[in-house]
């Protein structure tokens, strides 16, 4: 056999490859093509010259020698249409008679020279990066790889071009016509400080919901159903953060194991709603269905935030498939190493988009604006945002991406959330993103987990996290709501699993339990996994109440994960990215069990309490100093002795922390210019196993206190309402939170 090295072609040449697929249909001659326009990019149906209806196609492909538009009929027969107009590196043409619903793709020809990063291969049908709908699913047979995937010498397989036609095996873009002006939509426009975010998976949230018709489960229409929205409204959240809904592909290694990418962090189409989540069809109907979902959520006062993955694509590295950008202009779209055969990988997914390049930046910002202006969404959470903020190599808060977002008249007005890290050198950037941006605060997550498993050496970290993380965000005009506080997320244990498992149990993923983090900071409360032991079960439910109460009393923006409010479990799997089954779906039957229904009721009551009391959702950081002659501060910390904490107390081992929030000293004014005044509260958090006494601060802090929340109580159906005089010593049960409202005195709102 001739080796791949011997078949290596000179620059601009072609390496030998298998024969073409003889089963495919021969292309037929194409219709006439008029010059059309280079903008907007993508496929746009419109009325052309002389009132003729058709579609304008425009594709940026700077290094290509030629571009052919490929149109497919209902039987899969292909018509190839050369695009001969080239304006500013954009190939374009207007094709009369091409109407909405038309399926299409591109074949782009150019040099095959992987050693310089050139990977053009006209045998591969490519998805339009601007396709607004996608019909079909990526299954990744060998034919969809630009190189010979199964070449015997794998170390050079990526250098051997595969000549087989991929068109029968890949999805197609769909021409979509949309004249929706959103005039009947009313965006909630919830202020950042008032927000409560609920992270959910469209399919997983709706798949088993008994109130949603079976044919709508797992879809955008299912999430728009009144039964789904009723839960969100009853819970009180203000925004859903949807796991990726951009069109995505499954990884080859998952498909080989009979699994699929469930979470969707493997994007391939940045303008197209993922077709598998549509109940109404995939020939463009998914666009309208998504919009109706957004309208229904808006009508209920719920914003829609998308989790977006612009840091990498589903094409992976040099041994990955050729689906879109890799075949359009690999060298322009991706960061390549000095050895241009290889990809720079700051994401752990094989490639990294080269956001410094103008055309890549344009792709991302065009996509973002599209989802805001034409699809109605209210914000974005950026996966591995540090990768987007890199200039040539280092993370740079003056990078082109961040600069463009900051000045964009559309994007600077929506909610922007960074996952402020990637896996590259210097990639951890918590607290470093500029104003306009909120961030997932993993230091909050770690501190709260450690406190409640009694693993913090002292309470300094907890003090910062409860009060808005001023050590991270009090610079450059940033506010407490820059901190998106979370204890769990899609990635990791569910809240119930966090108190039920000390080790991950990911065997079902087929990776010998090597995947997923080992740094869970969890405590199983005395038994690993499910148990019938009533003491362990009661301890776990108490810890869940503690964790949820802490989250919803903390300054910043709380983020809940769907199902945590009623005890969802993944059986200890802390990386359920490939579990599109009962492990990954919400089990709504839990709400029929009294214990889990009570947890939901407590969560809902805490969120309602947060909405009623501005002292719990401050728009500015605490000053921590006296605002009036009586010596009261807006924020004060107390030991169990009822004394204000000293410097030494912050450094001493402790399991108990008292936090006093003054409702009198809230900065800012309401919409009518009046001073904002609220009740004052004292929160006592006790992580010790046994009960402790806590002396309630006396005058001038308060004359008395009323218990609002007591997490030691199993029955959470109603607030306790117990009153105590100031100066009294109350017993705080082991591992519990007491929230007390201040009665009388200058500290009363």
């Amino acid at each position: 056999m001739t080796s791949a090295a011997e078949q290596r072609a000179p620059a601009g040449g072609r390496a030998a490859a298998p024969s073409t697929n003889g089963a495919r249909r021969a292309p037929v001659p194409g219709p006439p093509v008029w010059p059309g326009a280079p903008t907007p990019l993508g496929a746009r149906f419109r009325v052309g010259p002389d009132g003729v209806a058709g579609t304008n196609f425009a594709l940026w492909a700077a290094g290509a020698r030629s571009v052919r538009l490929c149109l497919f009929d209902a039987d899969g027969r292909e018509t190839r249409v050369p695009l001969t107009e080239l304006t500013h590196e954009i190939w374009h043409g207007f094709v009369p008679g091409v109407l909405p619903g038309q399926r299409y793709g591109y074949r782009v020809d150019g040099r095959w020279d992987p050693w310089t990063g050139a990977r053009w291969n006209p045998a591969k049908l490519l998805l339009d990066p601007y396709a607004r709908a996608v019909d079909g699913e990526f299954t990744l047979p060998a034919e969809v790889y630009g190189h010979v995937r199964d070449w015997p010498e794998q170390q050079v397989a990526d250098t051997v071009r595969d000549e087989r036609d991929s068109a029968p095996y890949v999805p197609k873009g769909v021409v979509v016509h949309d004249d929706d002006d959103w005039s009947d939509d009313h965006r909630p426009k919830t202020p950042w400080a008032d927000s409560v975010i609920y992270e959910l998976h469209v399919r997983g949230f709706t798949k088993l919901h008994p109130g949603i018709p079976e044919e709508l489960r797992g879809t955008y229409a299912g999430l728009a159903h009144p039964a789904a929205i009723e839960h969100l409204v009853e819970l009180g959240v203000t925004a859903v953060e949807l796991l990726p809904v951009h069109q995505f592909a499954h990884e080859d290694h998952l498909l080989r194991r009979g699994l699929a990418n469930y979470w969707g962090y493997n994007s391939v189409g940045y303008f197209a709603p993922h077709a598998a989540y549509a109940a109404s069809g995939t020939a463009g109907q998914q666009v309208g269905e998504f919009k109706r979902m957004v309208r229904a959520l808006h009508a209920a006062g719920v914003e829609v935030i998308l989790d977006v993955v612009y840091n990498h694509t589903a094409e992976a590295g040099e041994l990955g498939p050729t689906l879109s950008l890799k075949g359009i202009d690999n060298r322009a779209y991706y960061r390549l190493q000095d050895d241009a055969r290889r990809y720079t990988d700051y994401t752990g997914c094989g490639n990294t988009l080269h956001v410094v390049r103008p055309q890549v930046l344009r792709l991302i910002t065009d996509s973002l604006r599209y989802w805001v202006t034409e699809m109605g969404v209210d914000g974005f959470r950026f996966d591995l945002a540090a990768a987007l903020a890199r200039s040539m190599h280092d993370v740079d808060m003056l990078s082109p991406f961040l600069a463009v977002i900051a000045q964009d008249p559309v994007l600077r007005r929506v909610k922007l959330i960074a996952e402020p890290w990637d896996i590259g050198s210097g990639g951890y950037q918590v607290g470093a993103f500029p104003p306009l941006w909120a961030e997932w605060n993993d230091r909050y997550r770690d501190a709260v987990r450690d406190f409640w498993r009694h693993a913090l050496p002292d309470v300094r970290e907890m003090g910062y996290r409860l009060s808005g993380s001023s050590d991270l965000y009090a610079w450059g005009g940033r506010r407490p709501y820059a901190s998106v506080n979370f204890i769990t997320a899609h990635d990791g244990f569910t809240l119930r699993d966090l108190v039920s498992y000390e080790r991950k149990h990911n065997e079902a993923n087929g990776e010998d339990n090597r995947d997923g983090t080992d740094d869970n900071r969890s405590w199983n409360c005395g038994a690993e996994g499910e148990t019938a032991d009533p003491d362990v079960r009661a301890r776990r439910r108490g810890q869940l109440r503690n964790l949820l109460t802490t989250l919803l009393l903390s300054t910043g923006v709380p983020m809940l994960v769907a199902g945590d409010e009623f005890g969802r479990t993944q059986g200890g799997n802390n990386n359920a990215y490939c579990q599109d089954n009962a492990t990954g779906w919400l089990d709504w039957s839990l709400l029929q069990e009294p214990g889990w229904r009570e947890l939901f009721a407590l969560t809902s009551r805490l969120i309602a309490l947060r909405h009623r009391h501005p002292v719990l959702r401050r728009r500015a950081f605490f000053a921590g100093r006296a605002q009036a002659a009586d010596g009261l501060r807006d924020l004060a910390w107390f030991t169990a002795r009822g004394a204000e904490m000293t410097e030494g107390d912050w450094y001493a081992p402790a399991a108990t922390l008292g936090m006093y929030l003054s409702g009198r000293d809230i900065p800012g004014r309401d919409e009518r210019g009046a001073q904002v005044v609220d009740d004052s509260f004292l929160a006592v958090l006790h992580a010790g196993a046994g009960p402790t006494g806590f002396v309630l601060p006396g005058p001038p802090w308060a004359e008395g206190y009323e218990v609002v929340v007591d997490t030691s109580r199993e029955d959470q159906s109603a607030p306790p309402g117990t009153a105590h005089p100031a100066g009294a010593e109350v017993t705080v049960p082991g591992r519990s939170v007491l929230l007390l409202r201040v009665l009388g005195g200058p500290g009363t709102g």
Side-chain angles (χ1 to χ4, degrees):
M1 177 179 289
T2 304
S3 71
E6 291 171 322
Q7 295 195 31
R8 176 171 172 170
R14 175 181 302 180
S19 61
T20 57
N21 180 358
R24 67 181 175 87
R25 300 173 184 269
V28 299
V33 182
W34 298 347
T39 57
L41 291 169
R44 291 284 178 152
F45 173 75
R46 62 180 176 83
V47 175
D50 301 323
V52 176
T55 299
N56 192 85
F57 295 89
L59 178 74
W60 184 94
R65 286 198 292 249
S66 67
V67 172
R68 283 175 291 175
L69 169 68
C70 305
L71 307 174
F72 294 86
D73 65 17
D75 296 324
R77 185 167 53 186
E78 177 180 351
T79 301
R80 297 182 183 175
V81 182
L83 297 182
T84 58
E85 298 292 328
L86 182 61
T87 305
H88 303 312
E89 302 178 326
I90 297 171
W91 302 77
H92 57 92
F94 178 86
V95 186
V98 170
L99 305 178
Q102 173 68 58
R103 299 187 306 151
Y104 74 100
Y106 290 106
R107 296 183 187 273
V108 182
D109 200 1
R111 293 189 307 129
W112 176 262
D113 187 16
W115 301 270
T116 63
R119 294 184 177 273
W120 283 282
N121 186 344
K124 307 305 166 184
L125 186 77
L126 306 174
L127 183 69
D128 179 3
Y130 281 72
R132 294 189 292 160
V134 176
D135 181 45
E137 189 167 336
F138 291 98
T139 56
L140 303 190
E143 288 84 355
V144 306
Y145 290 75
H147 66 282
V148 181
R149 186 189 68 182
D150 301 320
W151 190 262
E153 300 172 65
Q154 279 292 293
Q155 71 275 16
V156 292
D158 69 289
T159 69
V160 185
R161 190 162 85 170
D162 189 300
E163 302 291 346
R164 290 173 292 185
D165 183 12
S166 69
Y169 310 101
V170 295
K172 281 72 177 177
V174 181
V175 176
V176 175
H177 179 50
D178 181 18
D179 57 0
D180 195 333
D181 63 4
W182 286 91
S183 60
D184 60 340
D185 181 64
H186 301 285
R187 296 178 185 256
K189 297 182 180 179
T190 307
W192 256 124
D194 300 341
S195 297
V196 178
I197 297 174
Y198 190 71
E199 187 192 44
L200 68 81
H201 189 290
V202 169
R203 179 170 168 82
F205 184 80
T206 60
K207 186 63 178 174
L208 299 178
H209 197 299
I212 298 174
E214 190 169 353
E215 66 274 13
L216 301 183
R217 295 177 188 174
T219 69
Y220 306 119
L223 185 54
H225 191 273
I229 292 177
E230 180 184 9
H231 180 82
L232 302 174
V233 172
E234 185 179 358
L235 184 58
V237 298
T238 67
V240 291
E241 182 175 302
L242 306 182
L243 267 67
V245 295
H246 288 165
Q247 186 71 37
F248 62 86
H250 306 293
E251 294 90 332
D252 181 67
H253 69 90
L254 290 176
L255 294 172
R256 289 172 184 260
R257 297 202 301 269
L259 298 170
N261 188 315
Y262 170 57
W263 286 348
Y265 291 91
N266 208 36
S267 299
V268 72
Y270 290 131
F271 290 76
H274 189 61
Y277 299 160
S280 53
T282 61
Q285 298 96 329
Q286 60 265 54
V287 177
E289 184 176 328
F290 184 93
K291 291 181 177 184
R292 290 189 292 275
M293 175 196 74
V294 172
R295 277 189 170 88
L297 289 164
H298 282 178
V302 178
E303 293 185 307
V304 178
I305 298 171
L306 301 188
D307 195 334
V308 289
V309 188
Y310 294 112
N311 56 79
H312 75 279
T313 75
E315 293 185 300
E318 63 271 14
L319 296 178
T322 298
L323 308 174
S324 182
L325 305 180
K326 186 181 287 186
I328 294 171
D329 196 328
N330 182 62
R331 296 179 298 182
Y333 277 108
Y334 294 114
R335 290 180 180 265
L336 303 179
Q337 299 182 23
D338 292 338
D339 174 5
R341 273 180 63 192
R342 315 298 181 193
Y343 293 74
T344 301
D345 184 8
Y346 294 122
T347 67
C349 300
N351 65 51
T352 307
L353 280 177
H354 205 334
V355 180
V356 173
R357 295 187 178 273
Q359 69 279 359
V360 182
L361 189 57
R362 178 180 180 182
L363 171 67
I364 294 172
T365 53
D366 282 354
S367 168
L368 292 169
R369 281 189 293 268
Y370 172 77
W371 286 96
V372 174
T373 60
E374 298 192 43
M375 301 295 273
V377 307
D378 306 286
F380 305 94
R381 178 264 186 188
F382 292 81
D383 181 65
L384 299 182
L388 299 173
R390 289 183 182 271
S391 290
M392 294 311 296
H393 298 289
D394 296 334
V395 178
D396 178 7
M397 292 305 158
L398 298 176
S399 67
F401 172 75
L402 294 177
V404 166
I405 295 292
Q407 60 77 46
D408 189 283
V410 172
L411 302 180
R412 68 190 182 201
R413 294 201 301 267
V414 302
K415 288 183 167 65
L416 303 170
I417 305 170
E419 183 183 34
W421 52 77
D422 65 23
I423 68 166
S425 175
Y428 186 75
Q429 295 289 326
V430 172
F433 275 72
L436 290 184
W437 287 82
E439 301 175 16
W440 271 24
N441 188 350
D442 67 331
R443 288 186 58 179
Y444 179 93
R445 174 199 66 195
D446 293 349
V448 173
R449 289 186 179 193
D450 283 346
F451 178 81
W452 284 112
R453 66 189 183 109
H454 204 5
L456 285 177
D458 52 51
V459 291
R460 285 176 295 159
E461 185 80 4
M462 197 63 176
Y464 275 122
R465 303 307 146 232
L466 289 170
S467 59
S469 296
S470 60
D471 58 327
L472 300 175
Y473 302 112
W475 63 273
R478 303 189 81 183
R479 298 297 183 93
Y481 46 77
S483 178
V484 175
N485 299 330
F486 68 104
I487 300 170
T488 58
H490 65 275
D491 187 3
F493 281 148
T494 67
L495 202 66
R496 178 175 169 183
D497 288 355
L498 189 68
V499 301
S500 304
Y501 297 89
E502 292 189 5
R503 303 182 304 278
K504 65 188 181 185
H505 297 268
N506 299 356
E507 291 80 7
N509 295 355
E511 300 177 38
D512 298 323
N513 209 35
R514 295 189 304 270
D515 63 305
T517 184
D518 292 312
D519 183 21
N520 294 295
R521 301 175 189 242
S522 59
W523 176 48
N524 64 20
C525 295
E528 186 71 3
E530 295 302 309
T531 178
D533 187 319
D535 292 336
V536 173
R537 290 163 67 94
R539 196 174 299 133
R540 288 175 178 174
R541 289 194 297 272
Q543 286 290 78
L544 291 176
R545 294 192 291 270
N546 292 334
L547 291 162
L548 286 166
T549 301
T550 303
L551 176 65
L552 291 166
L553 294 182
S554 298
T555 300
V557 177
M559 184 185 81
L560 296 161
V561 177
D564 276 355
E565 73 275 18
F566 56 82
R568 173 178 170 248
T569 177
Q570 293 178 166
N573 191 323
N574 74 351
N575 190 34
Y577 78 105
C578 56
Q579 297 299 317
D580 188 6
N581 50 44
T583 297
W585 305 337
L586 270 64
D587 179 4
W588 292 93
S589 69
L590 292 169
L591 280 170
Q592 305 307 311
E593 301 179 23
W596 299 124
R597 181 69 193 180
E598 287 176 0
L599 185 67
F600 171 81
L602 173 65
T603 308
S604 179
R605 185 156 61 84
L606 287 165
I607 293 174
L609 186 74
R610 186 180 182 91
H611 288 324
R612 286 197 305 272
H613 292 287
V615 72
L616 300 177
R617 42 187 174 83
R618 287 173 57 102
R619 287 163 165 75
F621 287 105
F622 294 98
R625 57 180 179 269
Q627 303 291 311
D630 56 21
L632 286 177
R633 290 184 292 283
D634 56 359
L635 173 68
W637 303 95
F638 291 89
T639 68
R641 303 183 305 276
E644 288 192 69
M645 291 181 65
T646 65
E647 185 74 11
D649 291 328
W650 286 110
Y651 288 84
T656 309
L657 183 64
M659 178 177 66
Y660 184 98
L661 305 173
S662 172
R664 185 187 65 179
D665 301 307
I666 302 173
R669 302 187 178 197
D670 65 18
E671 294 178 349
R672 295 178 176 82
Q675 181 69 38
V676 177
V677 178
D678 192 14
D679 290 332
S680 297
F681 290 92
L682 174 68
V684 181
L685 293 82
H686 175 53
T692 187
F694 191 96
V695 177
L696 300 175
W701 301 101
E703 296 176 2
Y705 297 86
E706 178 187 31
V707 178
V708 178
V709 175
D710 178 358
T711 65
S712 70
R713 300 170 66 244
E714 286 279 357
D715 182 5
Q716 292 290 323
S717 58
T722 306
H724 300 281
E729 181 174 325
V730 297
T731 298
V732 183
R735 302 188 186 97
S736 67
V737 179
L738 283 182
L739 179 67
L740 305 104
R741 187 171 65 88
V742 169
L743 302 175
T748 305

